[in-house]
Amino acid sequence: MAAVYHKETYKRMHWYNEMVKWPKSCFDSSAIVDALKLTSMQSKETPHNLTTHILPGDCLAKWSARILTRSACIVEMDEQDSNSATVSHALLWCTSANEIAISRQVLHCIDTIDIEDVATLPWLRQEIIARRQLALERNDTDVISSLLERTETIPPSLIQKAPVEDVVGINHLALLLRCDLKELNKERLKYTLNDTLERTSGSERKALGDNRRVLCDMVRLAVTHYDAMWKDASDPEQNDLVIEISEAIGLALNQDLHVEYGVLVDVLLRRLDEFSGQLNAEATAAVLSKMENLIHVLDDVALNELMRNRHKLADSPSEILSKLVREGEETDKLKMCLQLVADPKYSLHQYCKELMRALLNNDGDLWSRIFKRMMQKIFENPYAGVDYLVLAKHQATLDNIREFGKYTAR
C-alpha cells in the first residue's frame, strides 16, 4: 500500500491490476482507494466518502487494521470530523464483532474511544450485547440484572436521538435479559411489542435494514412465551393468549418480515384445537384476520385444521371460512365423481372379493367397513350415471347380507 502513493513504480500498476481481479475484495479495494487519496484526505477535506463494507464473512482483524490506518491518515484533519469518521467505522466493526461473539474485543475497542463519543444509544446497545454474552458464559446473574436495569432506564433524550433500529434493538435486549433472568411476563412483553410496533409502523422497509432479523426474533420469542403459558391458563386467559399470539404475528405482517409464518400459524391452530370451549368475539376476530392475511402461505393441513375447529369460533362473517366451505363442497363433489371413474361391474366385483376375505377371516368389523364403503360409492353416490344405476338390481340381494352375524348364522 505504501508504494501506491509514492512515485510511479511497477508496484503501483501491480496494485491497479489487483483491483480489477475477480472476485473483488471490498477490503483490498478500500485499502487501495484510501492509499490513493491520502493526500486529499490530509488536506482537511471531510471524508464523507470513507465508507465501510464489512460483511459477516470478512476477517475483522483486517478491518480493524484498515480502520486504524484511516484514523492515522486523517489525524491532521479537523478533530471533530476525524472522530466522526473513525468512531462510526469502529461502531460498524463492533456490530460485526458482536455478531460472531468476540465480546472481549468489542469492549476493548469501546475502552479505546473517548467516553463522549460512545455516549449514544447505538454504542450502548453494542456494549450491552457484549457484556451480556460474557455474563452468560460465566452464568453471572448479578451482571445480567444490572444490564437489565441499564436497558430499562435509558434517558428519553438518548432514545429520541437514536435510529429506530437501535431503539428496537434495545427493546429486544430487554426481552432477552428478562428471559435470561426468567422474569419475562405477559405485561412486559405486551408493552415492549406495542412500543416496538408504534415505533416501526411509520418506518419504511429499507429503514430497518439488518434490524429485520431482530424483529423476527422478537416475534418468535413472543409467540413461544405465550404458547408456554397456555397449559396453566383458564378459558378467559386462553382467549387473551390467542389474541396476544395473533398480535405478535401481526407485528411480523406489519413489517413484512421474512419469518416462517406457517410455523407461527401452526402454534395458533394447535391452541385452537386444544381449546375446550368457544372463543369470544375478539379472539375469533384476531384469529380470522391473521388467517385471511396469510391464506397464501397456509398449506392444506392448516386449512383443514381451521375448518375442523370452526365450531369453536364465535359467529361472525368471515371471507376465509366462506371460501373454505365452498372449496370443501367442490372438493367433496369432485371426490365423489372420481369414485365413479372405474367400470361399475369391476368395482362391484372387487368389493365382493374383499367381503369374501372378511368372511373367511371371520372379521365382522372389516365386513361392516367394506359394506358401508361399497354402498356409499356405488349405490348411494348422487352423481352415478346410467351404468351404475343398472347395478341397483343387485341392491336387494346385498341388503340381505348386510349384517355379518345374520349372514354367518345361516
Side-chain angles (χ1 to χ4, degrees):
M1 281 191 297
V4 176
Y5 52 82
H6 282 299
K7 55 186 176 181
E8 295 289 340
T9 64
Y10 75 95
K11 291 184 178 181
R12 184 183 186 94
M13 292 307 300
H14 172 74
W15 278 94
Y16 281 130
N17 291 334
E18 289 295 317
M19 286 187 66
V20 299
K21 286 186 177 181
W22 191 263
K24 293 183 180 297
S25 166
C26 291
F27 169 81
D28 292 344
S29 299
S30 173
I32 295 169
V33 170
D34 281 2
L36 291 171
K37 293 189 174 182
L38 177 63
T39 303
S40 60
M41 288 167 60
Q42 290 180 329
S43 63
K44 297 186 180 296
E45 290 187 9
T46 304
H48 293 303
N49 59 335
L50 291 183
T51 58
T52 55
H53 304 278
I54 303 177
L55 301 176
D58 288 343
C59 173
L60 291 185
K62 293 170 65 177
W63 276 106
S64 179
R66 180 88 293 276
I67 294 171
L68 291 174
T69 302
R70 290 178 174 184
S71 179
C73 288
I74 58 178
V75 69
E76 295 182 6
M77 297 175 54
D78 179 77
E79 183 178 358
Q80 182 177 356
D81 289 337
S82 66
N83 283 340
S84 63
T86 56
V87 170
S88 63
H89 294 165
L91 177 60
L92 288 173
W93 184 89
C94 286
T95 301
S96 295
N98 266 327
E99 289 177 355
I100 59 175
I102 50 174
S103 309
R104 288 181 176 81
Q105 286 77 5
V106 172
L107 296 179
H108 178 71
C109 176
I110 294 174
D111 290 340
T112 62
I113 301 174
D114 292 339
I115 189 170
E116 294 81 6
D117 294 324
V118 296
T120 62
L121 193 64
W123 273 108
L124 177 61
R125 178 187 173 192
Q126 297 307 318
E127 180 189 351
I128 292 177
I129 290 174
R131 294 192 184 282
R132 171 180 176 262
Q133 180 62 37
L134 293 175
L136 289 175
E137 292 175 1
R138 300 191 302 267
N139 195 26
D140 193 335
T141 56
D142 291 336
V143 171
I144 295 176
S145 296
S146 65
L147 292 176
L148 177 61
E149 183 178 359
R150 288 182 64 186
T151 303
E152 295 185 344
T153 58
I154 297 174
S157 57
L158 205 63
I159 294 177
Q160 292 172 357
K161 299 177 183 179
V164 64
E165 50 264 32
D166 287 298
V167 178
V168 174
I170 286 293
N171 282 344
H172 179 232
L173 274 174
L175 295 181
L176 292 177
L177 290 166
R178 283 188 170 272
C179 286
D180 297 336
L181 297 170
K182 295 181 172 55
E183 295 180 1
L184 184 62
N185 54 55
K186 188 174 72 171
E187 291 71 23
R188 172 58 63 173
L189 182 55
K190 183 176 178 62
Y191 170 81
T192 304
L193 289 180
N194 287 341
D195 181 71
T196 301
L197 183 60
E198 181 180 349
R199 293 181 184 280
T200 58
S201 58
S203 302
E204 298 180 1
R205 288 177 56 185
K206 292 183 179 179
L208 294 172
D210 293 337
N211 207 55
R212 295 168 68 84
R213 174 180 55 80
V214 174
L215 282 169
C216 288
D217 193 54
M218 289 181 69
V219 170
R220 287 190 289 266
L221 187 152
V223 172
T224 302
H225 181 76
Y226 291 135
D227 184 59
M229 297 174 61
W230 183 270
K231 291 183 179 180
D232 298 327
S234 62
D235 281 0
E237 292 172 334
Q238 288 179 350
N239 273 277
D240 293 339
L241 289 175
V242 167
I243 295 172
E244 304 296 356
I245 293 174
S246 300
E247 289 184 353
I249 297 174
L251 174 60
L253 288 170
N254 179 272
Q255 291 297 326
D256 192 21
L257 301 179
H258 302 303
V259 296
E260 295 181 357
Y261 287 105
V263 175
L264 301 182
V265 170
D266 285 345
V267 174
L268 198 56
L269 290 174
R270 182 181 64 181
R271 292 315 181 189
L272 177 62
D273 182 59
E274 294 179 357
F275 191 67
S276 56
Q278 186 180 54
L279 294 180
N280 60 33
E282 185 180 1
T284 296
V287 171
L288 292 178
S289 64
K290 299 305 173 291
M291 295 299 173
E292 289 173 353
N293 288 329
L294 293 171
I295 190 171
H296 61 286
V297 300
L298 301 182
D299 56 21
D300 291 339
V301 175
L303 294 174
N304 291 336
E305 191 70 10
L306 178 61
M307 283 297 294
R308 192 172 65 84
N309 289 288
R310 67 182 184 276
H311 63 281
K312 298 181 181 180
L313 303 173
D315 293 335
S316 61
S318 169
E319 180 180 346
I320 185 173
L321 287 181
S322 300
K323 180 179 180 181
L324 291 177
V325 169
R326 291 194 302 270
E327 291 179 350
E329 292 174 348
E330 293 174 358
T331 300
D332 291 341
K333 177 181 177 181
L334 180 60
K335 288 179 179 178
M336 296 180 74
C337 291
L338 290 174
Q339 291 170 1
L340 302 171
V341 172
D343 178 77
K345 293 182 180 180
Y346 175 79
S347 295
L348 181 59
H349 180 69
Q350 292 300 114
Y351 280 117
C352 288
K353 286 178 62 176
E354 292 185 30
L355 288 171
M356 180 60 70
R357 188 178 79 249
L359 179 62
L360 294 174
N361 293 330
N362 196 29
D363 191 338
D365 291 336
L366 178 60
W367 175 281
S368 299
R369 291 198 301 271
I370 295 171
F371 207 100
K372 182 179 180 180
R373 190 166 68 247
M374 176 183 66
M375 298 303 291
Q376 289 177 342
K377 294 187 177 182
I378 293 182
F379 298 101
E380 299 172 4
N381 194 320
Y383 304 104
V386 176
D387 292 342
Y388 272 89
L389 295 178
V390 171
L391 298 180
K393 61 184 180 181
H394 301 294
Q395 188 167 352
T397 302
L398 292 170
D399 284 339
N400 291 330
I401 61 173
R402 183 187 294 267
E403 297 182 17
F404 181 77
K406 177 180 178 182
Y407 175 73
T408 54
R410 293 182 180 178

